[in-house]
Amino acid sequence: GLDPTMNGRLNMSTIKAFHEVVEGMVQGMNFGKPHQITYWTGDFIPTFLRLARVPLVDAINQLHVFLNHRELLYSVSHMLGLPIRFPGQREDTVPSGSSLLMEVYDHGVRLFFWSPSQPSHEEKARYLAERRPMSELYGSGVLQPTAAFGCV
């Protein structure tokens, strides 16, 4: 129930512009140079590739969900050439709480991004004013397929 406008002193377009400037600065600080992307990935890429190897060593082990900081998801996506496009977000921006899912089959791998439902400040304020349960604003998130350029 926080008022992001500070009692009307800021409008939502100013807040959005501020977020974009801050995101750009943080992205530049963390990922501004190509070698910085490797800092975040550590040993993840070899682990990821080992799990994706076919044929499967254990056929039960077909779905892998990777939960971590969005910096890892951002770095891995760039290293693997996965386009970062989440609904309602600026391109190349990973929402908080997002995940990378990998389905492994004998014939290949399918990758998905999942992001949680993120209602706007306006929606939350309206629900509070109407005394409606906030849980109604949060669905099961958004699941979308992804692949490196040239892959299907």
Side-chain angles (χ1 to χ4, degrees), residues 69-88:
H69 295 282
R70 59 184 152 182
E71 290 85 1
L72 176 65
L73 187 54
Y74 181 88
S75 298
V76 167
S77 298
H78 276 264
M79 288 185 82
L80 296 177
L82 303 175
I84 301 174
R85 293 186 196 106
F86 288 91

Side-chain angles (χ1 to χ4, degrees), residues 18-96:
F18 176 75
H19 277 273
E20 289 177 3
V21 168
V22 170
E23 284 176 10
M25 291 173 65
V26 170
Q27 290 292 85
M29 181 180 69
N30 288 331
F31 309 109
K33 296 185 172 80
H35 70 274
Q36 289 175 293
I37 289 177
T38 62
Y39 296 160
W40 290 99
T41 60
D43 196 32
F44 181 80
I45 297 285
T47 300
F48 180 84
L49 294 174
R50 189 174 61 254
L51 291 170
R53 204 172 336 166
V54 292
L56 296 172
V57 175
D58 182 358
I60 294 172
N61 200 12
Q62 293 181 331
L63 174 66
H64 303 281
V65 179
F66 302 104
L67 307 169
N68 204 300
H69 295 282
R70 59 184 152 182
E71 290 85 1
L72 176 65
L73 187 54
Y74 181 88
S75 298
V76 167
S77 298
H78 276 264
M79 288 185 82
L80 296 177
L82 303 175
I84 301 174
R85 293 186 196 106
F86 288 91
Q89 300 286 326
R90 234 173 7 107
E91 189 168 322
D92 209 38
T93 300
V94 178
S96 295

Side-chain angles (χ1 to χ4, degrees), residues 82-126:
L82 303 175
I84 301 174
R85 293 186 196 106
F86 288 91
Q89 300 286 326
R90 234 173 7 107
E91 189 168 322
D92 209 38
T93 300
V94 178
S96 295
S98 297
S99 301
L100 176 63
L101 289 80
M102 175 174 61
E103 294 178 348
V104 182
Y105 301 93
D106 286 332
H107 61 276
V109 173
R110 292 182 66 201
L111 299 175
F112 300 87
F113 283 130
W114 177 85
S115 58
S117 303
Q118 296 187 334
S120 68
H121 292 294
E122 294 85 3
E123 289 174 302
K124 292 178 196 176
R126 184 171 51 82

